[in-house]
Amino acid sequence: MSGKKGDKEGCPALELIDFNNALEQFQNLVEKMIIQKTKESSGLYTKDNDERDYEKFYTTTRTLFGSAVKDQDIQAFFRKVMRNLDERPEWLEIFGCFRRANGGMSSTSKESMVLLVSEKQQITHSVVKRKDVIKGIVKVPLLHLTVTASQKGVLTVFRKQMKVLTTINIEDTAWITGCDFLPNLKYVVAVTESTIILWDYKSKESKSDGFVIKPMKNCLLCVCTVTVADNLAKDTILMGDDKGYVYLLTITSDDFIMKQSKAEKEAQFKVLDAESFDIPKRKLHDDWVGKIKYFSALKCFGSCSTDSTNSFVLDDIKRLEDHLPVKEFSVPKGVNAFTYCGKAKVIVTGGNDRILRLWNPVVNFSPMGKLLGHKHSIVEIVTNEKDQHVISLSCAKVFRVWDIQTLSPLQVFYEDHGTPEEMNSFPMVFDNDHGLLFTGSDVIDIYPLANVIQDSKELPQTHEKSLNVLLYNRAFHQILSICTESILKVWDLETGSQIYQLEDAHGLNIEVTCAAIERNGVYLATGACDGTVKIWEFESGQEIKALPLAQHSNDEHRMLKIVYLKANEGQHAVIVLEQRGKIKIIQGDSTQTDLYVTWVLPEIVPFPRRNPVVYLSLKPASLKTQDFFPEIRLLCNTSCMKNDTETFLSSVDIRCFDVLKVEGGRLIATGSANGEINLWDFESASVKCLRKTTEDNQGSGVNAILFLVHRISSSRKRSSQSPTPSVRSDASAIAEQKGSSSDQHEKNAESDEINTEIKTEETTSCKDTQNPKMNEQLLKARAGLSPLLASAHESSCIRLWSIQGNLMKELLPFSGCPSGPLTVLCTDIFTKILLTGSKEGYIFRWNMASFLEDSRNKKNEIKEELCWRAHAAEVVDLFIEEEKNVVVTASIDSSVRVWHARIGYYFGYFGQARKFELTDTSRLILPSDVNDFSAIIKEESKHTEKKEVLYPLVLDRDKLKSLTGSPSDLEKAGHEEAVHGFKFFRALAPEKLQHLETFEFVSKEAGAVFGLLPIYELEHPIEVSMPNSLQRIKAEKSGHKGREKHPDSIEDLSQDK
């Protein structure tokens, strides 16, 4: 215990004494004390006049250093020497100064930090008195509360964001030594040296603040709650005292009434007699019980002491009553603190020997591992469950963070504020829900985790530019993202790490606008703004084939969408949508090096207004060239067509399309900006225009379209066994992928290679005889197994159509905030879940399993289950991964984010530094640009559906007078009765009173009767009076009776109402 001259710097100036001589005498005093204590432990010491106890040590130290040392520092130094004979404290500690640990104390970058000390927050509310310290901090996750207790009796309850909810000053003279929260009774429990305080933190000023149980025979040092939710009217607490006893106390709500002391006068707390309680106790340690905790996962309690033999006890609370042997852990110099990590299933203990030990809860004779590094006694330990980290604190205010899995130190930092004293009971708790470390001294310090700060403050960014494409390769479990800068990145879904990237895939400054992955995951097709299309090997990123650039390329050939039809080593086929509205099939085979156009869908179709169905004349022989859709020939010249009263032309402003090829049906559906949906059915040889007849063109544009194919159990089983089941079609269906695309000028291909024929017919007599497979399709439709078509619109609604052209359902999302136009649709592989994304960044989840099983049954509804805001900007695309139960979203905000599919929990974004943990949802984190957590939609919380109320017609007398004013020719001819009836009905009109809108609740339980009644609003109250005709009749009757009984009586009818 040697001192150096350099150590004197920073210590208080000592006056009138020689510091070196005083320091030498102090060191000799400490050495004699250690020798005396060693002899006492071995039984060789005999008492004499030179015995050195605390009083002599205090007197000598005060004589040597005077007022430069404080009483609490002298007491702390003496305790440390007596408990740790092998550990020789430095003389600086007598002045309240501690050396910083050398190892690992160098400043590290934020990326390598676990806890960001620079982002520390301090709560400086009056939670303590003057010269007071916090003795306990408790988190109550279910109620979002934080409870603190100071040594001098200040109890404080904080709500969210550490705002004070309520506080109380205990008037008991004894010091508080620990606190906890009773979850069932909703009381704060605190223990002092001789009492148990039960504080009702919700009590009003006029009532009592709670109860106090006294007297307790020994000095209580610690308390904890047994968290067993078996009874809502009682709580069980465990306590430890200074004699090594552990107490078990059960408190019920009836005890507050039955066991009050009658002799006591009115006081701050009502007194409960301790003798009236059955409090089992058992001596488990030979020294003070330093801490006591209950672990729900183990169904055991733990208690620790500085006793080297019975240092730590871990067993069932029943052992406190039956006195059977308990499981004891022996640690040299005892245990000051302990904790349990549920993920790693280890107990961690620390004490005066400065070593952290990891124990298997079942094995008590040898630790699993040791963590070395602390220079001073360990006084507190907490666990970060999610990251499997242990945070330990020494009496020198040095924090160390350890990784349990690797048994390695991660971070060391030092706290130098507050009163410099040894902290034998320094409270510390870790909030696993929010990733925050709470510590207490004379203030509350809050240290955030680095990854929480990163997720909550840094804007997620996967690319530097806006995203165009998001795809999922189910075979490789990998993500493909493409931005407007034409940087293509491939990511691993499970970890979030990047696998590879391609730049300028279609050439320098050529934007890649769309892409598609074939169903086996081997090949990738991309389309660009200049009309080019390329085929790639997904795993290697090697280009295979390409569609050459057209000579006259312009923005009209920009690719908006591309879908893979077929892919193998010999042949590739994709169907694409250009910005000008043209849909074409592009193919390539082994005999040719380049891709080429083989089929084009007509751009403009004239539809009859009365029945918008056009029947086609197909050429089945053309299937030999491209195997997908037959060619059609356009006989009429669409350039001469125009809208008139009999026909209208289909829109060329096509935004989206989807393809479905199943047994017995080949369909293409297109959606336009004006709300038109054209359904091309190549089995029935027809094209239908689907449109809601009562809707205005404005706000009805179709942004996304998707075929929904119902799967029976057998097909589901096959799909689950398939390596890459398609998200949007059946086993042989074609998966739709979103994107935008290439510019391609194929005038020669359109005029020479493509023959199209359309025959318009207004009769439907031959429609069932054109193709025998149509009958099979109708049978499926009658059985409720026909595919449906879903469309997402600018008006924020989703519409479900039958392939016969009938509107079956219209859905509006439920949200507290306006969702905005819907931009994207997707389903799971079983078509049970429908996901939609909006222009405002919201995601909506719908359950449609029962509806697709039998869409004709009105009881089978589509239920909205979840909504959350995933981005602050437009959602470009999304998909759901059923095996990992996640939803991945992409937005124009340059980020690709991962969410839990059922609860909307945020896992992170692709491109972040840390890896994903897709199975852990314990910590609530949101991106920096999102403020609201996900909302689970319940049936009773659905919005009300606005219903148009038809009010009864009333006779408009003014209108009737105008009609009857001039006799007609029919009246002159003797038809007066017929003419009068005609005029009467012509004079009926809706009532002119102002009325309120009425609503019909979706939930029939509320508003089933009153929701349908019209509600009228009267501007001025109308005095209810009897009509004149009734007044005359009543006057006559009353006058007749009056003459019979009282002839002289006159009744004033004018006052009768």
Side-chain angles (χ1 to χ4, degrees), residues 137-155:
I137 302 177
V138 179
K139 296 293 294 184
V140 188
L142 294 179
L143 300 179
H144 304 289
L145 300 178
T146 304
V147 181
T148 64
S150 77
Q151 189 177 54
K152 293 186 178 180
V154 178
L155 298 179

Side-chain angles (χ1 to χ4, degrees), residues 140-175:
V140 188
L142 294 179
L143 300 179
H144 304 289
L145 300 178
T146 304
V147 181
T148 64
S150 77
Q151 189 177 54
K152 293 186 178 180
V154 178
L155 298 179
T156 308
V157 178
F158 296 87
R159 58 179 184 267
K160 289 183 177 180
Q161 299 178 352
M162 293 303 291
K163 296 181 179 179
V164 176
L165 177 63
T166 181
T167 185
I168 189 174
N169 184 13
I170 308 297
E171 297 175 358
D172 198 323
T173 56
W175 282 2

Side-chain angles (χ1 to χ4, degrees), residues 766-981:
C766 61
K767 111 173 132 175
D768 291 340
T769 60
Q770 288 187 357
N771 196 324
K773 291 186 179 180
M774 185 60 185
N775 294 329
E776 179 184 354
Q777 201 171 43
L778 290 175
L779 290 175
K780 286 185 178 181
R782 295 190 185 109
L785 299 177
S786 177
L788 299 181
L789 183 64
S791 58
H793 295 260
E794 284 281 335
S795 57
S796 304
C797 71
I798 302 172
R799 292 177 185 153
L800 300 181
W801 310 81
S802 68
I803 59 173
Q804 288 75 35
N806 301 320
L807 178 61
M808 303 185 67
K809 200 76 174 176
E810 185 170 4
L811 307 173
L812 281 172
F814 170 73
S815 175
C817 301
S819 63
L822 300 181
T823 56
V824 64
L825 295 169
C826 85
T827 68
D828 61 335
I829 59 175
F830 303 122
T831 324
K832 288 183 178 181
I833 302 300
L834 178 65
L835 290 173
T836 63
S838 74
K839 201 167 187 177
E840 301 296 329
Y842 287 91
I843 306 297
F844 304 91
R845 173 190 169 108
W846 309 78
N847 189 330
M848 57 180 181
S850 61
F851 179 80
L852 291 182
E853 289 177 0
D854 187 3
S855 57
R856 297 175 299 169
N857 190 346
K858 294 183 179 180
K859 295 182 180 180
N860 296 336
E861 293 289 335
I862 299 178
K863 300 177 182 179
E864 185 180 357
E865 297 179 330
L866 186 68
C867 70
W868 75 93
R869 191 163 195 178
H871 300 267
E874 178 183 344
V875 178
V876 174
D877 208 344
L878 76 164
F879 68 85
I880 179 173
E881 214 289 340
E882 299 79 12
E883 182 181 350
K884 303 188 185 313
N885 203 20
V886 297
V887 171
V888 181
T889 61
S891 170
I892 61 174
D893 63 7
S894 308
S895 68
V896 179
R897 306 179 185 183
V898 187
W899 310 83
H900 193 282
R902 293 189 179 273
I903 60 176
Y905 175 89
Y906 177 61
F907 288 112
Y909 65 95
F910 288 93
Q912 67 183 19
R914 61 184 178 89
K915 293 183 179 180
F916 293 147
E917 295 183 12
L918 302 181
T919 58
D920 191 350
T921 59
S922 60
R923 189 166 297 153
L924 301 177
I925 303 174
L926 286 176
S928 60
D929 54 353
V930 176
N931 298 323
D932 300 325
F933 289 97
S934 59
I936 299 177
I937 309 300
K938 299 180 180 179
E939 280 298 310
E940 56 268 19
S941 66
K942 292 290 185 66
H943 64 290
T944 55
E945 183 178 312
K946 186 176 179 181
K947 183 172 181 178
E948 204 172 305
V949 178
L950 299 177
Y951 297 94
L953 300 178
V954 296
L955 180 64
D956 189 344
R957 297 184 179 275
D958 296 334
K959 190 174 183 180
L960 181 62
K961 287 181 181 179
S962 63
L963 293 174
T964 57
S966 57
S968 63
D969 296 335
L970 291 174
E971 288 180 316
K972 295 178 182 179
H975 300 283
E976 292 86 356
E977 294 183 2
V979 172
H980 180 73

Side-chain angles (χ1 to χ4, degrees), residues 312 314 327-330 345 347 358-368:
F312 176 62
L314 181 68
K327 188 183 301 179
E328 299 174 343
F329 298 74
S330 298
K345 293 182 174 56
I347 294 282
L358 280 65
W359 304 82
N360 187 321
V362 182
V363 181
N364 62 341
F365 55 84
S366 177
M368 299 168 52

Side-chain angles (χ1 to χ4, degrees), residues 82 251 371 542 656 695 855 918 1005:
M82 292 296 100
I251 304 173
L371 300 175
Q542 184 70 31
C656 54
E695 185 177 42
S855 57
L918 302 181
E1005 297 177 0

